[in-house]
Amino acid sequence: MTGSPDRGVWTLAEIRNGRVHEISGELLAWGRSLADSLGAPLVSVVPESVPDGDLDGLVAWGADVVIVLDSQEGTLPEDLLCPLLARLVRRHKPEIFIASATTTGRTAFSMLYAELETGLTADCTGLRVDEKTGMLLQTRPAIGGNVMATIKTPLHRPQMCTVRPRSMKPLVMDPSRRGRIVRETVEERSFVSRLEVLDSIRDVGRGTPISEADILVVGGRGMGHGGNFRLLEQLADLLGGQVGATRQAVDMGWAPYSSQIGLSGKTVSPRLYISFGVSGAIQHIAGMSTAEKIIAVNRDSDAPIFDVADLGIVGDVGEVLPALIRDMERRSGPCQ
Amino acid sequence: MEIAVMIKQVPATDSVKIDPETGTMIRDGLEMEINPLDLHSLEAAVTLRDRAGRGRVTVFTMGPPSALRAVRSALAFGCDRGFLVTDRAFGGSDTLATARTLAAALRKEGPFDMILCGERATDGETGQVGPALGHLLGASVLTYVNDILELGEGYVVVRRAIEGGEQVVRAKLPAQLGVVKELNRPRLTTLRRRQAARETPIPSLTAEDLGLPKERCGLKGSPTQVVSISYPEVTRSCEMIQVGTDVDRAVSVLAEALLKEVAPR
Ligand SMILES: Cc1cc2nc3c(=O)[nH]c(=O)nc-3n(C[C@H](O)[C@H](O)[C@H](O)COP(=O)(O)OP(=O)(O)OC[C@H]3O[C@@H](n4cnc5c(N)ncnc54)[C@H](O)[C@@H]3O)c2cc1C
Ligand SMILES: Nc1ncnc2c1ncn2[C@@H]1O[C@H](COP(=O)(O)O)[C@@H](O)[C@H]1O
């Protein structure tokens, strides 16, 4: 490996609170297979200064080159980041550039692709290189997950896309891997941002956002009343997961909007989704059908949620949920 | 204060049906409606204007001639002017071509201080048009806006919902905002407004009006191409357990299934 990022497969590292987030490893796992098919270098672009150990981590996750935008000022506002990324792209001409479909990734890339006048495909769940043409084939769910569309960018470079968080696991870190770290000093402001962050409110209570949760315990109108959502939290704690909700449950004030799953809420891809009193309306299923394992509890054996579930329990939430919590508590108790 | 609201006409999601044979969405004969999130932009625009006691709200939609209905309902919502951006040459636009075309329309009919968009549309679900449009116009780009806290001379202060928290940002005008549904509750239109809207002329803007060469718009001006569409087979087969009178048995099956998933692999 020459250590040059030229014409490579690039990924935009996801930074939270000054540290490299695990999602960056998911992107590198996608990127590694693409880079290997193309015989191109895999690059991780880090949009702000982070501890050195985190940069080594990116190499251990598979990056051949890490480019850091070293700035004194922490997170750069999007309108300063965009021209810096555009300059790097124009200099090194990557074939492919991928980011995560998070709020930051989507925002940065929506500005960058317009600046570069190339294509951008949102929220992909599948990426591969076409053997004949060497082009990136990007697959994404459309119309609420009922249709999978495969999209390419034949004439413009880089081929850009955002990928759904959790659609790939990071590779196991290999500390013996070698890579090159390139520092790009962000010079004193040559121009001024149009944006000024007045306040950042970190939301400690909520923990992992549902779009990134491994395990989701979801409640719908069949929960009966808002107080019952406490039981869902108990179960989520026992399983090490987060609580999600349907729009009906959110509209009734039983759960915050940030936990709404579906067409007008968040798209989720957990390893395990278990729902209580959720009918499985198409707008809800649109947001969760890519979950790995789906379990549903509903008293109506015809509820459409059972059409997408792996395990269906036909019964009353009022009976099943408290008994399940008791059972789980017993199993995780000290006698075990 | 000149405010532009970008609305998209989408298939009505509550009339969406699934073909039981193929498991796919039936798109024929679907009713169209304004993208639900765009109603929140409309509400915000009209409220900002009314609170300021001056200014003008202009609504734009790009789509086939039938999208005129969307503009008309937006006028009934209380917008002052409406334009339909329509031309056969715009057919097949991807998000870049759409943003470019809308940017040309805003340049022609503007300038605007605020450009409001929905965070994403329920059909394409990309959320790429708004920020791309804002960027092309050289405006401040503000995504995931859930509150507009202050609109002052030359600046706006908003709150954004991002991963792990919220952010209060002050941005120079012009600013492009992508709004989420927590922003407000859209009002209902009144009969009087709907009647007035019926009389308001809605000019069309074509590629020629906008000075857009054909190779910059529509399918030709779109860097992305759809290669194929597939309908994923529903491969799940659901194991069903009736709780009946034996709750304990059902619960222990459930608990075991959960533990199997939770156990680290
Ligand atoms: C434009 C649009 C966008 C939408 N976006 C979303 C979205 O993003 N997310 C979303 O979730 N919805 C969305 N919806 C709403 C969606 O259509 C459904 O109304 C909603 O998902 C239903 O929520 P629910 O399953 O909680 O309630 P219901 O459909 O009322 O279902 C309740 C279920 O609970 C069961 N039940 C009742 N009591 C018990 C009990 N004691 N024990 C066991 N089971 C019980 C019932 O059998 C029933 O199946 C949207 C709708 C529209 C029109
Ligand atoms: N054809 C269009 N005409 C007007 N506005 C649009 C159009 N397409 C997208 N938008 C705007 O961009 C937002 C996001 O759409 P999308 O990027 O398609 O998810 C919408 O909520 C609209 O505000």
Side-chain angles (χ1 to χ4, degrees):
Chain A
M1 200 50 62
T2 58
S4 157
D6 289 1
R7 302 194 185 271
V9 174
W10 287 26
T11 63
L12 181 67
E14 178 93 6
I15 310 300
R16 303 247 175 104
N17 306 316
R19 299 298 304 270
V20 168
H21 189 273
E22 191 183 347
I23 285 180
S24 316
E26 297 175 15
L27 293 176
L28 286 169
W30 278 115
R32 192 65 262 169
S33 72
L34 300 174
D36 290 344
S37 339
L38 289 171
L42 176 60
V43 179
S44 181
V45 181
V46 182
E48 65 182 74
S49 307
V50 297
D52 287 350
D54 287 16
L55 300 177
D56 298 336
L58 292 166
V59 172
W61 260 330
D64 301 311
V65 182
V66 176
I67 304 178
V68 203
L69 294 175
D70 255 329
S71 71
Q72 301 304 309
E73 310 166 57
T75 311
L76 288 170
E78 284 96 349
D79 60 339
L80 294 189
L81 179 61
C82 178
L84 290 170
L85 291 177
R87 199 175 62 186
L88 282 176
V89 165
R90 289 188 176 116
R91 198 189 299 157
H92 298 290
K93 308 201 163 37
E95 279 294 308
I96 294 173
F97 200 177
I98 60 188
S100 188
T102 56
T103 55
T104 41
R106 281 171 180 260
T107 306
F109 263 35
S110 292
M111 294 171 73
L112 183 62
Y113 93 112
E115 170 69 29
L116 298 169
E117 298 210 287
T118 184
L120 173 61
T121 306
D123 208 21
C124 298
T125 54
L127 297 178
R128 66 193 163 86
V129 170
D130 183 28
E131 276 167 31
K132 272 189 241 117
T133 59
M135 260 179 229
L136 178 66
L137 299 180
Q138 315 161 18
T139 302
R140 62 168 306 221
I143 338 180
N146 285 281
V147 174
M148 298 300 283
T150 298
I151 292 162
K152 64 179 177 183
T153 307
L155 302 173
H156 300 70
R157 293 294 177 271
Q159 304 162 81
M160 288 175 64
C161 61
T162 59
V163 298
R164 185 172 292 185
R166 309 196 40 76
S167 48
M168 176 80 107
K169 287 189 182 59
L171 300 173
V172 176
M173 280 204 178
D174 174 2
S176 68
R177 272 190 59 91
R178 290 282 156 264
R180 189 160 81 102
I181 292 174
V182 181
R183 291 184 186 274
E184 282 282 324
T185 318
V186 176
E187 61 268 37
E188 279 302 297
R189 295 280 172 87
S190 45
F191 59 100
V192 192
S193 172
R194 300 175 57 87
L195 312 171
E196 184 192 353
V197 176
L198 302 180
D199 198 7
S200 286
I201 307 130
R202 217 186 289 168
D203 190 358
V204 270
R206 275 189 222 155
T208 314
I210 57 166
S211 52
E212 290 161 24
D214 226 12
I215 293 168
L216 280 176
V217 177
V218 181
R221 182 145 65 179
M223 289 298 293
H225 61 89
N228 279 344
F229 264 70
R230 293 294 307 276
L231 296 176
L232 295 180
E233 276 163 30
Q234 265 183 44
L235 180 61
D237 283 346
L238 283 165
L239 297 173
Q242 305 288 326
V243 174
T246 63
R247 170 158 140 186
Q248 295 286 353
V250 171
D251 284 352
M252 274 177 291
W254 299 352
Y257 171 65
S258 58
S259 63
Q260 181 173 320
I261 296 169
L263 207 53
S264 46
K266 293 277 187 306
T267 305
V268 299
S269 266
R271 190 149 58 83
L272 170 66
Y273 164 107
I274 174 167
S275 71
F276 294 88
V278 170
S279 61
I282 168 167
Q283 296 89 354
H284 182 75
I285 291 183
M288 48 66 73
S289 59
T290 52
E292 225 172 281
K293 178 98 176 180
I294 298 175
I295 301 180
V297 180
N298 193 309
R299 67 178 174 201
D300 172 10
S301 61
D302 290 330
I305 188 79
F306 292 132
D307 297 342
V308 297
D310 303 290
L311 175 62
I313 309 286
V314 183
D316 198 286
V317 166
E319 275 177 5
V320 175
L321 184 55
L324 177 64
I325 291 173
R326 277 197 303 277
D327 187 303
M328 298 288 294
E329 274 170 349
R330 197 163 39 76
R331 284 169 200 258
S332 61
C335 327
Q336 276 277 309
Chain B
M1 183 66 49
E2 290 283 343
I3 306 176
V5 186
M6 317 311 291
I7 64 171
K8 185 177 189 183
Q9 204 182 33
V10 297
T13 30
D14 46 0
S15 65
V16 164
K17 288 189 190 65
I18 295 288
D19 184 328
E21 297 278 293
T22 59
T24 60
M25 206 176 274
I26 302 172
R27 298 206 96 188
D28 299 339
L30 268 188
E31 254 184 75
M32 301 296 279
E33 65 179 11
I34 296 178
N35 177 36
L37 273 181
D38 298 349
L39 297 178
H40 296 270
S41 321
L42 286 169
E43 175 66 38
V46 171
T47 309
L48 287 172
R49 177 200 60 197
D50 292 349
R51 213 179 283 154
R54 66 202 159 85
R56 196 159 57 152
V57 177
T58 309
V59 55
F60 291 86
T61 194
M62 170 175 147
S66 56
L68 189 78
R69 276 194 49 212
V71 183
R72 200 156 309 281
S73 356
L75 290 174
F77 216 87
C79 300
D80 303 284
R81 304 191 291 166
F83 291 93
L84 174 64
V85 184
T86 190
D87 196 312
R88 292 186 81 131
F90 297 153
S93 295
D94 71 358
T95 60
L96 182 68
T98 303
R100 195 185 271 149
T101 306
L102 291 174
L106 292 187
R107 277 197 205 98
K108 177 159 190 293
E109 303 301 334
F112 294 95
D113 304 292
M114 297 262 281
I115 300 128
L116 301 188
C117 301
E119 184 257 298
R120 61 180 169 155
T122 51
D123 61 346
E125 289 200 274
T126 74
Q128 290 171 184
V129 172
L133 171 64
H135 183 76
L136 292 177
L137 292 169
S140 306
V141 173
L142 297 163
T143 48
Y144 307 95
V145 171
N146 65 9
D147 206 357
I148 301 173
L149 302 170
E150 192 188 339
L151 182 56
E153 275 305 318
Y155 70 92
V156 62
V157 182
V158 303
R159 197 167 61 209
R160 302 176 61 214
I162 54 176
E163 269 90 15
E166 292 185 320
Q167 213 179 40
V168 177
V169 185
R170 181 223 278 274
K172 290 203 177 96
L173 297 183
Q176 179 273 327
L177 276 63
V179 311
V180 299
K181 79 169 209 178
E182 283 165 302
L183 184 67
N184 54 34
R185 251 173 209 281
R187 68 192 62 187
L188 298 172
T189 57
T190 61
L191 185 62
R192 196 164 53 86
R193 285 241 185 241
R194 282 201 296 275
Q195 268 161 353
R198 238 171 269 155
E199 263 120 63
T200 316
I202 300 172
S204 290
L205 298 171
T206 62
E208 196 187 336
D209 297 332
L210 300 179
L212 275 172
K214 296 269 189 286
E215 64 280 4
R216 299 276 293 165
C217 46
L219 205 54
K220 278 195 196 138
S222 297
T224 60
Q225 277 178 18
V226 177
V227 182
S228 63
I229 294 282
S230 65
Y231 302 94
E233 296 261 321
V234 184
T235 47
R236 294 182 203 267
S237 59
C238 188
E239 180 195 344
M240 299 287 273
I241 293 175
Q242 307 284 336
V243 172
T245 48
D246 197 350
V247 180
D248 290 346
R249 185 192 55 97
V251 164
S252 78
V253 173
L254 182 53
E256 259 146 43
L258 290 177
L259 285 174
K260 210 170 80 203
E261 293 304 317
V262 172
R265 288 185 225 170

